[in-house]
């Protein structure tokens, strides 16, 4: 499968197969699909990727991807500013928003502490979270992290960092199966795990 | 999952999920991956897609993707010009080349007759195949099509088109399980099906 007849196709397969979960065969299938469908559609995909990387902004408060200055959730008057739910990334925000059970703000870490993948606390937005809590406006921080080893490690690190502040620190209830992935949990289970969150003593 | 906080991410998810076999959740996962890894890598992917669409050339003889004028196989002196193997697309050429059992030339149809997908004979390179055969240099045409309903329809159409010429017309042996996909067949089965091809009488 290695002697592609054209540099263009070799290069495209090479780049596409760098994406997670896509091997060389799938990459070739996608490349041929990109060649077959109307040119404008394929160029739109390339354009969307370029825009995604060059024009995306992040909310300066919660670090979620955003179009404007503050993100829609941080800017909303309907949200309870005193409660912050800490999550790994945007997918978890969308999953929790879907439950309709949470009316506070978020804090997107941008990842999870994982020595195996080389992600240390300094790569995440933890300092910014501590600053938000230190401002005194926050009464509760909910840790909305996946119940995996990395999630538990991150939760442990955050509780140590936040315990000096006079706030309630909680974690979403472990109704989620251990080892499962937060974003694939059904809405009812995820909603209940927010309502039935356990307060750290 | 529909209220993305940014137009950029919405657009990227929209475009990525148009690819075959990729749903909205996978598209969001890929978009976040594109955001997380170094910017140069993501832009390389976009660049490769643009180049694929704007700079790819096709071999004027066999219609395979090619860098130069004639493709490497058509230009080679080691290949037997009198035998043409007709295939659906590039993936089938790569699969057959991998067996090392075929030393003739190819003819890439660029698809397969499929009324359900709206692909008719006029969308394929069939006229060009007829012209190659009519030139008189060809002694045998092997139909290397997947043994599916569309493959059989295409084979039937081609035999009708080619039967007026004084050539041997054959099909790769049906060692391949019926309903299977040619590109996923193991090399030994595929190699044998070329050696043991059945001549149409």
């Amino acid at each position: 499968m290695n002697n592609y007849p054209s540099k263009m196709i070799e290069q495209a397969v090479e780049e596409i197969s760098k994406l997670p979960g896509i091997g060389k065969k799938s990459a070739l299938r996608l490349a041929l699909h990109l060649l077959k469908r109307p040119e404008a559609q394929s160029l739109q995909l390339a354009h969307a990727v370029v825009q995604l990387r060059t024009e995306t902004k992040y909310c300066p408060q919660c670090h979620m991807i955003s179009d404007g200055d503050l993100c829609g959730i941080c800017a909303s008057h309907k949200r309870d500013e005193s409660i912050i739910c800490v999550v790994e990334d945007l997918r978890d925000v969308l999953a929790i928003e879907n439950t309709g059970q949470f009316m506070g703000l978020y804090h997107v870490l941008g990842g999870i502490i994982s020595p195996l993948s080389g992600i240390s606390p300094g790569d995440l937005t933890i300092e910014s979270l501590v600053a938000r809590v230190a401002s005194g406006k926050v009464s509760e921080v909910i840790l909305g992290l996946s119940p995996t080893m990395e999630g538990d490690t991150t939760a442990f690190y955050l509780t140590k960092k936040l315990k000096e502040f006079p706030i309630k620190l909680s974690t979403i209830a472990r109704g989620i199966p251990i080892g499962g992935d937060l974003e694939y949990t059904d809405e009812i289970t995820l909603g209940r795990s927010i309502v039935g969150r356990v307060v750290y003593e």
Side-chain angles (χ1 to χ4, degrees), chain A:
Chain A
M1 286 293 289
N2 295 321
N3 298 315
Y4 299 111
S6 151
K7 277 233 170 103
M8 299 305 148
I9 198 113
E10 186 177 344
Q11 192 179 306
V13 168
E14 178 75 23
E15 291 300 328
I16 295 171
S17 65
K18 280 182 191 163
L19 295 172
I22 298 184
K24 291 262 171 181
K25 274 211 167 177
S26 303
L28 180 57
R29 190 168 56 92
L30 292 175
L32 290 176
H33 176 81
L34 288 172
L35 270 174
K36 243 185 219 173
R37 64 176 191 180
E39 177 164 337
Q41 275 185 35
S42 298
L43 296 183
Q44 257 171 35
L45 170 66
H47 183 63
V49 170
V50 170
Q51 278 207 319
L52 183 68
R53 274 318 296 243
T54 53
E55 293 180 29
T56 305
K57 291 171 193 143
Y58 292 88
C59 173
Q61 183 165 283
C62 74
H63 303 283
M64 186 163 68
I65 293 156
S66 159
D67 270 341
D69 196 25
L70 272 186
C71 73
I73 293 173
C74 284
S76 167
H77 296 297
K78 292 184 185 153
R79 312 291 300 212
D80 183 350
E81 288 184 29
S82 67
I83 305 184
I84 293 178
C85 182
V86 178
V87 292
E88 186 183 339
D89 67 21
L90 172 64
R91 290 178 293 176
D92 300 330
V93 172
L94 296 175
I96 292 176
E97 283 297 285
N98 254 7
T99 71
Q101 297 277 0
F102 180 66
M103 288 307 292
L105 303 182
Y106 291 94
H107 192 88
V108 178
L109 291 177
I112 204 157
I113 299 173
S114 168
L116 281 177
S117 313
I119 301 171
S120 66
D123 298 321
L124 310 177
T125 62
I126 293 174
E127 284 311 310
S128 156
L129 173 65
V130 172
R132 281 177 83 178
V133 172
S135 75
K137 284 183 199 154
V138 180
S139 65
E140 178 173 2
V141 170
I142 305 175
L143 302 182
L145 300 167
S146 289
T148 55
M149 195 140 82
E150 287 87 358
D152 286 345
T153 307
T154 310
F156 181 71
Y157 185 87
L158 290 174
T159 46
K160 271 205 341 197
K161 275 275 183 188
L162 296 174
K163 72 179 175 194
E164 60 173 300
F165 299 102
I167 54 162
K168 195 155 92 178
L169 194 57
S170 62
T171 176
I172 54 171
R174 296 300 172 95
I176 307 167
I178 301 297
D181 207 334
L182 200 144
E183 66 155 336
Y184 291 107
T185 309
D186 66 273
E187 293 170 22
I188 296 167
T189 309
L190 192 55
R192 278 197 194 145
S193 74
I194 290 187
V195 172
R197 60 189 180 267
V198 180
V199 179
Y200 289 132
E201 65 271 84

